[in-house]
Amino acid sequence: MGSFSFSSGNAAQVLRLPLHVLGLVATRFIPRSRDLWVFGSAAGIGEGAWALWQVAAANGEHAVWLTGSEKDAAAARRAGVPSVPKGGVRGFWLTARARVVVVTHGAGDVNRYGTAGSFLVQLWHGIPLKRLGLDSPVTAKAPVNLPGLAPLLRYAYRRTQRRICLLPAASHLVRGRLESAFGLSHDRIPVTGEPRVDVLADGSAADARASVEALVGPTSGAHLVLYAPTWRDGAPDPAIPGPAEWATIVEALESANAVLVIRSHPLGAGEYAPPPGTDRVRRLGADLIADVTPVLPAFDALITDYSSLIYDTALIPLPVVFFAPDERRYAVERGFYGRYRDLAGEDAATTWGEVARRLAIVLLDDSERARRIARAQDLSSRVHAYRDGRNAERVYRAIRRGLAASRTTKGKE
């Protein structure tokens, strides 16, 4: 069962309303520093925030990482990154004082009550296939059925997103989706590429595989296949295999000499329990590695439904086996940008038996593998404007331009 949903998150926001009001009042009187940057990410020390951190630090910026757990704080210490817990007085003070605030998921990546008035940079965490924000009916899902509550939540969401000063896009195609989802104007969404995928520009498959095996155990040269289902708003994953399906999966993996690595969504982990006696299925959850992007080159194929990893792995490129057991329901409840089958093709699997057959062909038939790799390359050319590993540098320059423009505007007032 998933651990988070929009309705539970919205309920928490309603309960925190007095703190939000206090934060808004306080940030009107706390002066912003001219040089302090704070960073945070729901994925810990990772995602695009980490790529941008390295560029900012190299350029001499005064930056602090705000952590959400002792595990994140320990990771910051190992990376030599100065950090402070995001909660409490000190986390609020640093967020309220920072000129630049960088997040990857939302204001809760830092101290959510201190972001008003900052130059807020929302890096996001993947190219959207499923509808986001204002484009999705679930974003303003009310925790209780009170008249007027859902419209109020939607209004509050729109107002909060207007604080975003910069939201980088991977391409002009993606830019349109982000403008619609976040309700932002064209000038706030520059096409710079995503900092989070810079690591894939020169990532070593051998190094990535060694990192994966250090976490899941040795695989003796077998093909590595990543299965990464997306989040379903707190509902259980509908694709969790039953006993007969597990037998089919293991048989296919053995015939293709492959190991299936399951990466459940951090907010919706499924109860994947392979049959005893097999080492063909391993788990690589967020508890083992918070940001999976750096190790994507380790894999020989991807199985997924609607995850943004489709776009990330296109940079490598990896062949994808599309698995959509609940496509119609998901299209109604969440929705897609475009038509799902235009991305997945008409051969998307709907059962584990179909997945097993398609995977065996991808791993054993060179022509089919080449066809799916060519499909991934075509996708990459459409959604990634840059593939040079310098996206974080472009975002950094965009931030500096934005800061200069805001100071010029204030100087004229």
Side-chain angles (χ1 to χ4, degrees), residues 65-78:
W65 199 287
L66 299 185
T67 60
S69 67
E70 177 51 38
K71 181 180 179 181
D72 293 347
R77 288 192 293 270
R78 289 193 298 270

Side-chain angles (χ1 to χ4, degrees), residues 2 14 23 38 76 92 107 139 145 170-171 199 245 261 303 338-339:
V14 171
V38 296
F92 170 76
T139 302
N145 189 22
S171 64
V199 69
E245 291 171 312
V261 177
I303 303 170
R339 182 173 170 268

Side-chain angles (χ1 to χ4, degrees), residues 178-266:
L178 296 176
E179 286 176 354
S180 177
F182 288 88
L184 296 175
S185 58
H186 199 68
D187 59 302
R188 298 193 189 192
I189 309 181
V191 176
T192 59
E194 293 183 303
R196 59 188 292 279
V197 298
D198 279 352
V199 69
L200 297 178
D202 56 2
S204 163
D207 290 346
R209 183 172 183 124
S211 296
V212 170
E213 291 191 340
L215 296 170
V216 305
T219 58
S220 304
H223 295 294
L224 281 183
V225 179
L226 178 64
Y227 171 51
T230 197
W231 178 46
R232 284 172 168 77
D233 188 29
D237 187 346
I240 298 174
E245 291 171 312
W246 273 123
T248 299
I249 293 167
V250 171
E251 181 181 357
L253 294 171
E254 290 175 344
S255 66
N257 187 25
V259 168
L260 180 67
V261 177
I262 298 174
R263 170 74 175 189
S264 295
H265 193 281

Side-chain angles (χ1 to χ4, degrees), residues 13-176:
Q13 292 287 34
V14 171
L15 293 174
R16 289 194 294 254
L17 185 58
L19 293 175
H20 283 288
V21 173
L22 287 173
L24 282 172
V25 173
T27 51
R28 287 182 177 272
F29 295 96
I30 298 173
R32 292 277 171 186
S33 166
R34 290 180 63 87
D35 63 351
L36 175 63
W37 294 38
V38 296
F39 289 73
S41 174
I45 310 298
E47 288 282 353
W50 175 234
L52 182 58
W53 165 277
Q54 295 175 79
V55 173
N59 281 274
E61 303 294 353
H62 174 209
V64 177
W65 199 287
L66 299 185
T67 60
S69 67
E70 177 51 38
K71 181 180 179 181
D72 293 347
R77 288 192 293 270
R78 289 193 298 270
V81 172
S83 70
V84 169
K86 65 183 180 182
V89 174
R90 194 173 178 200
F92 170 76
W93 177 254
L94 287 173
T95 305
R97 285 280 292 145
R99 185 70 191 95
V100 178
V101 174
V102 179
V103 300
T104 62
H105 291 66
D109 292 351
V110 289
N111 189 293
R112 67 177 73 250
Y113 310 112
T115 61
S118 68
F119 190 94
L120 181 59
V121 180
Q122 167 60 277
L123 298 177
W124 203 237
H125 48 279
I127 295 173
L129 166 59
K130 57 196 177 191
R131 289 186 174 271
L132 301 175
L134 297 170
D135 295 333
S136 174
V138 301
T139 302
K141 192 174 182 179
V144 292
N145 189 22
L146 290 178
L149 182 56
L152 179 61
L153 289 169
R154 190 172 182 81
Y155 171 78
Y157 180 86
R158 185 184 291 274
R159 291 278 299 180
T160 301
Q161 301 316 302
R162 286 177 184 169
R163 295 180 188 172
I164 297 172
C165 298
L166 190 141
L167 172 59
S171 64
H172 288 282
L173 173 65
V174 178
R175 184 187 216 175

Side-chain angles (χ1 to χ4, degrees), residues 280-406:
R280 292 288 178 178
V281 181
R282 318 284 175 87
R283 282 183 265 193
L284 186 66
D287 57 327
L288 294 180
I289 182 169
D291 181 8
V292 76
T293 312
V295 300
L296 291 178
F299 297 96
D300 298 293
L302 169 70
I303 303 170
T304 191
D305 41 24
Y306 325 117
S307 170
S308 62
L309 285 177
I310 296 164
Y311 301 111
D312 300 339
T313 57
L315 283 165
I316 297 174
L318 289 187
V320 179
V321 175
F322 290 90
F323 181 25
D326 59 343
E327 178 186 348
R328 291 184 180 179
R329 178 177 177 180
Y330 200 86
V332 171
E333 294 181 353
R334 185 67 183 262
F336 301 109
Y337 289 103
R339 182 173 170 268
Y340 178 66
R341 293 292 169 140
D342 290 339
L343 176 67
E346 295 303 324
D347 61 344
T350 58
T351 68
W352 273 110
E354 293 174 356
V355 170
R357 289 190 291 273
R358 286 163 174 70
L359 179 62
I361 296 172
V362 168
L363 295 179
L364 300 174
D365 185 326
D366 290 342
S367 62
E368 176 61 12
R369 180 175 181 82
R371 184 182 75 83
R372 293 192 184 234
I373 287 177
R375 179 193 288 181
Q377 291 171 323
D378 176 67
L379 177 63
S380 179
S381 69
R382 288 187 280 120
V383 299
H384 294 288
Y386 300 99
R387 292 178 287 279
D388 58 1
R390 304 182 69 177
N391 298 335
E393 295 176 26
R394 280 183 285 272
V395 172
Y396 175 75
R397 291 195 295 270
I399 294 170
R400 296 305 316 182
R401 287 193 297 270
L403 291 173
S406 65

